[in-house]
Amino acid sequence: MKEIVVHNKKFRKLIPSARIQKAIVSIANRIDRDFKDACPLFISVLNGSFIFSADLLKNVKCECEISFIKVCSYSGTQSSGNVNMLIGLNENIEGRDVIVLEDIVDSGNTLEKVIEELKKYRPASVKVAALFFKPNAYTKKIKLDYIGIRVPNKFLLGYGLDYNGIGRNLKDVYILEDSR
Ligand code: IMP
Ligand code: MG
């Protein structure tokens, strides 16, 4: 499928699934190299990151744990800028090496909030792995340690990313066609 319509908006295929999987294997290899003798705790930011997190962990070989948190910042196709608090952090992360898993980093508002909150619990280190990154939308200084694929500053759909709830199950990533 080269084109799809979701909630009356047209999207066209941008990133095929094979390219996504390759980027994930590359992130996993870099993490294995950096955490050979450690046991990092992955913190996956739901909902969007659930597919990325599963595929990434299947490729990571070092000993590791995973936990899931939730924040909410997006409504429709525009970042709202309001980021709510974290929910679901049950692990004691004090002294742990944490790797935050984000499906996509856009403005960076969500990531900044997540990191600010996590640091209150005094982890030993916090790194960030983002499958997709929109450099032209990013407004923050936080370093992204592992980046999968840089993408244009446009609305994307698929592989965990939704448009008002729809499209997370798509294996490829689609881009919103400019409305004329
Ligand atoms: P940020 O706070 O602006 O960086 O946006 C982060 C969150 O917004 C991501 O974790 C996604 O859940 C969502 N998001 C950002 N860009 C897109 C997109 O292009 N499509 C779907 N969701 C997006
Ligand atoms: Mg997200």
Side-chain angles (χ1 to χ4, degrees), residues 32 35-36 38-42 60-65 96:
D32 279 333
F35 290 88
K36 238 190 343 241
C39 177
L41 170 63
F42 290 103
V60 165
K61 295 181 189 74
C62 69
E63 199 168 85
C64 62
E65 292 178 53
R96 296 295 306 269

Side-chain angles (χ1 to χ4, degrees), residues 44-50 71 73-74 101-105 110 160-162 168:
S44 168
V45 184
L46 295 174
N47 291 331
S49 297
F50 76 111
V71 285
S73 75
Y74 234 78
L101 300 182
E102 265 288 21
D103 48 355
I104 188 164
V105 174
T110 311
L161 302 171
D162 70 305
R168 296 192 194 276

Side-chain angles (χ1 to χ4, degrees), residues 20-172:
I20 298 172
Q21 294 303 324
K22 225 171 128 182
I24 291 173
V25 170
S26 159
I27 294 176
N29 290 343
R30 281 179 274 161
I31 290 174
D32 279 333
R33 252 199 333 262
D34 294 349
F35 290 88
K36 238 190 343 241
D37 305 310
C39 177
L41 170 63
F42 290 103
I43 295 188
S44 168
V45 184
L46 295 174
N47 291 331
S49 297
F50 76 111
I51 298 185
F52 167 47
S53 302
D55 281 348
L56 180 75
L57 260 82
K58 286 186 278 180
N59 286 284
V60 165
K61 295 181 189 74
C62 69
E63 199 168 85
C64 62
E65 292 178 53
I66 185 162
S67 184
F68 298 86
I69 60 171
K70 203 162 178 173
V71 285
C72 196
S73 75
Y74 234 78
S75 146
T77 57
Q78 290 274 305
S79 185
S80 66
N82 310 317
V83 182
N84 299 326
M85 304 302 290
L86 310 188
I87 47 173
L89 185 68
N90 304 319
E91 271 69 20
N92 179 11
I93 65 167
E94 189 175 339
R96 296 295 306 269
D97 293 310
V98 166
I99 306 177
V100 175
L101 300 182
E102 265 288 21
D103 48 355
I104 188 164
V105 174
D106 185 302
S107 67
N109 289 331
T110 311
L111 183 67
E112 184 177 64
K113 190 79 207 169
V114 166
I115 292 198
E116 200 180 289
E117 288 299 310
L118 292 177
K119 283 197 167 157
K120 290 183 186 162
Y121 301 96
R122 306 176 358 131
S125 66
V126 181
K127 293 209 167 189
V128 178
L131 177 57
F132 302 114
F133 175 46
K134 295 181 185 172
N136 294 332
Y138 195 55
T139 60
K140 307 295 176 188
K141 295 240 154 61
I142 299 157
K143 183 181 164 214
L144 305 182
D145 303 276
Y146 309 99
I147 295 171
I149 300 173
R150 285 169 179 78
V151 294
N153 188 9
K154 293 273 168 62
F155 191 77
L156 304 182
L157 179 77
Y159 198 79
L161 302 171
D162 70 305
Y163 173 39
N164 287 346
I166 304 298
R168 296 192 194 276
N169 53 318
L170 298 164
K171 286 196 178 72
D172 310 295

Side-chain angles (χ1 to χ4, degrees), residues 8-25:
N8 283 325
K9 287 198 194 294
K10 227 195 240 177
F11 293 82
R12 76 180 151 77
K13 196 187 278 186
L14 182 72
I15 312 169
S17 138
R19 169 135 187 257
I20 298 172
Q21 294 303 324
K22 225 171 128 182
I24 291 173
V25 170

